[in-house]
Amino acid sequence: MAYRVAITGIGVICAIGNTREEFASGLREGRCGIGGITLADVSGLRFHNGAEVKGYVPEQHFEPRQLDVIDRFAQFAAVAAREAVSDSGIVWTDELRERCAIVTGSCVGGQTSEDQGFWDVYRLGKTRVHPMTIPRTMANAGASYISMDLALPGPAWTVSTACSSSNHAIGQAFHMVRAGDADVALAGGSEATFSFGILKAWEAMRVVSGETCRPFSKDRTGMVLGEGGAILMLEPLERAVARGAKIYAEIVGAGMSADANHITQPSVQGPVRAMRMALRDAGANVDEVEYINAHGTGTEANDATETAAIREVFGGHADRLAVSSTKSMHGHTLGAAGAIEAAATALALRDGFLPPTVNYRVADPRCDLDVVPNVGREAKIACAISNSFAFGGLNAVLLLRRLA
Amino acid sequence: MPGNVTEEVLDVIAATQRMPREKLTLDGRFEELGMDSMDAVNILFALEDKFNITIPDEAAKQIRNIREMVEGVQKLVDAKDAEPLPSAPEQAAQ
């Protein structure tokens, strides 16, 4: 028995909105959340801009004692999960709690806490680090705090596949609910990347822009790091309809692949395989897809490769679909990217509105798709995909449909 | 240009790429030597470390062969020697 899987709740916190509806209006307005980094001292860095969450006061969400043990990345996971659950209006029973899966994605986990500990011992010559450095740092802390916070004692784990992490997480949760292995699932991911040591490591890779993120624009200068989290509530469509839940979209397919090629250089064929697998998983034809929320990092390597992959999968239909990169607004949130962009894709289906690729200036013949430049548009779409490709060549793609 | 910077740059490339030093010539293009963009990033890192310079991203993107790399390093080394305070090289190559 395969269940159809509905998204019945969404929680988001990121640079263009601290709640789902703020995020939705940011996408609609094409608001760019990129600005000067304030969370770390960037005076010794070649880049100074990032997409930080704004106006976030941890004490408004957590007790001071909790904050001693929860890194910012895990806070974002818990904040987004609370919003997704309350949005879904789900009524918990003891049995349902036990049958709820939690799958989160994170790339660097609590590295900010680890960085602080390293700073203390290596730089400041302290003889001890904060005793909660290990539990703050572990990448599964997001899943752990969601389970503790919401009293959900079912299966819970974390996937770490760099920038594809939360698409893999959502894909696994989707397959679990579809197969009946879980009655409901909270899936997504979170990331908080702004600490000096991590930023230095990104600087050394020479892929981060010194100004802003301009995906698919010929004058693009690289990616811009972002932070945040997003969690989706997934449940069987039939049950969601029976309890009168609102339904954002249905997840109908998930595809995954490895480039099996190079540790950082993207390939065309890896993303092609992942998109084709998602289409097959959904039983969808290429000409049904009307919108792609692109991986669209704004790097030299990604944008042309992704365009070529989309052209290979969709053929002539590639010229009839819209492709935008919302990273131009909320930055590249690494392990949270898939979840934030799946939320953006679900909202595009709900609202009948395609979010733009902002900061776009110059057409690039190697990125010659309709990238919805700078201004979003009304479009009552029925089927969309969300791409995530990662360093390490690990790709994950989700296929969503609006409920007819 | 003083020969020592050239020799040292070639040494750094050979060491970084685990490549015989004699395979490297000034006119060698990176793609002919089988190097991709991440190899280039590794070499730039090693050069910055060796010469204590900062190679800006924009300048780095223009470099296509070893000669341009040597010239770029030479320029930054000269700028560093002319300006004893350790903040100038970033501007120097704009």
Side-chain angles (χ1 to χ4, degrees):
Chain A
M1 165 89 204
Y3 294 95
R4 291 170 67 179
V5 179
I7 301 172
T8 57
I10 298 178
V12 181
I13 177 163
C14 71
I16 59 167
N18 293 8
T19 63
R20 176 192 61 260
E21 294 311 318
E22 268 180 44
F23 175 62
S25 66
L27 293 171
R28 186 172 273 272
E29 293 159 20
R31 192 160 64 229
C32 180
I34 295 166
I37 294 169
T38 64
L39 294 165
D41 178 5
V42 291
S43 54
L45 283 173
R46 276 202 294 271
F47 63 88
H48 300 144
N49 290 338
E52 292 181 345
V53 170
K54 289 154 192 80
Y56 171 70
V57 181
E59 291 74 14
Q60 288 175 355
H61 300 273
F62 301 94
E63 296 298 322
R65 279 194 57 197
Q66 288 181 298
L67 290 171
D68 289 342
V69 292
I70 315 182
D71 184 271
R72 187 173 172 94
F73 100 95
Q75 293 172 33
F76 290 155
V79 167
R82 286 175 188 168
E83 188 186 17
V85 167
S86 87
D87 181 40
S88 74
I90 201 158
V91 179
W92 294 113
T93 62
D94 287 347
E95 195 199 346
L96 192 57
R97 287 179 185 281
E98 279 187 32
R99 298 273 306 155
C100 176
I102 301 167
V103 194
T104 63
S106 190
C107 173
V108 300
Q111 262 188 18
T112 303
S113 294
E114 190 175 57
D115 201 29
Q116 182 62 52
F118 289 166
W119 184 267
D120 287 348
V121 286
Y122 295 145
R123 180 79 179 216
L124 302 181
K126 291 190 183 176
T127 54
R128 55 182 72 84
V129 301
H130 192 283
M132 288 299 116
T133 302
I134 297 293
R136 285 175 65 108
T137 301
M138 61 193 189
N140 58 301
S144 298
Y145 282 108
I146 292 170
S147 75
M148 290 159 67
D149 195 50
L150 299 168
L152 299 170
W157 74 97
T158 295
V159 182
S160 190
T161 49
C163 310
S164 295
S165 299
S166 52
N167 252 17
H168 277 113
I170 295 167
Q172 288 197 329
F174 156 63
H175 284 154
M176 264 188 106
V177 174
R178 186 171 71 175
D181 293 332
D183 287 347
V184 57
L186 285 167
S190 69
E191 206 77 81
T193 37
F194 294 109
S195 75
F196 188 71
I198 306 172
L199 298 176
K200 278 310 269 187
W202 279 103
E203 176 191 68
M205 281 206 86
R206 296 177 185 271
V207 291
V208 178
S209 170
E211 40 125 27
T212 194
C213 179
R214 306 183 188 281
F216 305 113
S217 184
K218 191 159 194 239
D219 61 348
R220 63 193 175 278
T221 46
M223 57 182 268
V224 170
L225 291 163
E227 62 168 359
I231 299 287
L232 310 181
M233 173 69 101
L234 309 183
E235 54 182 303
L237 176 67
E238 215 169 284
R239 191 139 7 104
V241 169
R243 72 177 181 87
K246 71 174 170 313
I247 292 160
Y248 289 91
E250 197 182 342
I251 301 186
V252 290
M256 309 170 193
S257 72
D259 289 352
N261 179 41
H262 189 285
I263 197 70
T264 57
Q265 229 34 51
S267 79
V268 173
Q269 289 311 314
V272 163
R273 280 193 296 276
M275 283 188 272
R276 285 196 173 135
M277 182 175 168
L279 287 159
R280 253 198 327 274
D281 195 40
N285 293 320
V286 291
D287 57 6
E288 290 176 62
V289 176
E290 293 161 282
Y291 170 66
I292 297 176
N293 187 299
H295 186 53
T297 55
T299 61
E300 209 43 48
N302 176 82
D303 294 359
T305 309
E306 184 168 12
T307 302
I310 289 169
R311 287 211 167 276
E312 180 156 341
V313 171
F314 292 92
H317 183 65
D319 290 316
R320 289 187 291 277
L321 50 80
V323 180
S324 71
S325 169
T326 51
K327 285 189 178 75
S328 58
M329 295 177 268
H330 53 65
H332 192 347
T333 58
L334 308 179
I340 292 172
E341 291 155 30
T345 307
L347 292 167
L349 288 159
R350 179 195 72 173
D351 296 342
F353 189 88
L354 302 180
T357 303
V358 304
N359 302 321
Y360 184 88
R361 291 197 301 205
V362 186
D364 180 348
R366 296 188 307 150
C367 305
D368 57 349
L369 298 163
D370 169 12
V371 299
V372 196
N374 297 319
V375 183
R377 71 172 84 114
E378 305 283 344
K380 209 154 176 55
I381 54 165
C383 183
I385 72 175
S386 180
N387 282 342
S388 284
F389 314 137
F391 278 166
L394 307 185
N395 312 297
V397 173
L398 300 173
L399 185 50
L400 276 65
R401 269 207 190 106
R402 180 164 51 82
L403 210 56
Chain B
M1 101 192 31
N4 60 332
V5 168
T6 307
E7 294 307 310
E8 282 176 301
V9 169
L10 292 173
D11 287 345
V12 166
I13 296 171
T16 308
Q17 291 302 112
R18 316 291 197 278
M19 189 179 266
R21 172 73 170 67
E22 55 276 13
K23 272 187 76 176
L24 299 171
T25 61
L26 272 182
D27 291 314
R29 292 177 64 81
F30 297 133
E31 62 244 50
E32 290 162 7
L33 294 163
M35 295 182 204
D36 62 24
S37 64
M38 278 303 123
D39 292 324
V41 165
N42 278 324
I43 293 166
L44 293 170
F45 168 71
L47 291 171
E48 287 184 326
D49 217 32
K50 168 97 184 167
F51 293 99
N52 191 24
I53 52 174
T54 300
I55 303 169
D57 289 346
E58 282 313 304
K61 271 181 202 152
Q62 313 301 328
I63 298 169
R64 293 284 173 268
N65 59 38
I66 294 174
R67 186 183 301 278
E68 288 168 7
M69 188 171 260
V70 170
E71 285 167 1
V73 169
Q74 183 70 58
K75 216 187 289 176
L76 290 167
V77 168
D78 291 346
K80 189 183 68 165
D81 292 344
E83 168 65 74
L85 294 171
S87 61
E90 195 106 30
Q91 265 95 41
Q94 293 290 307

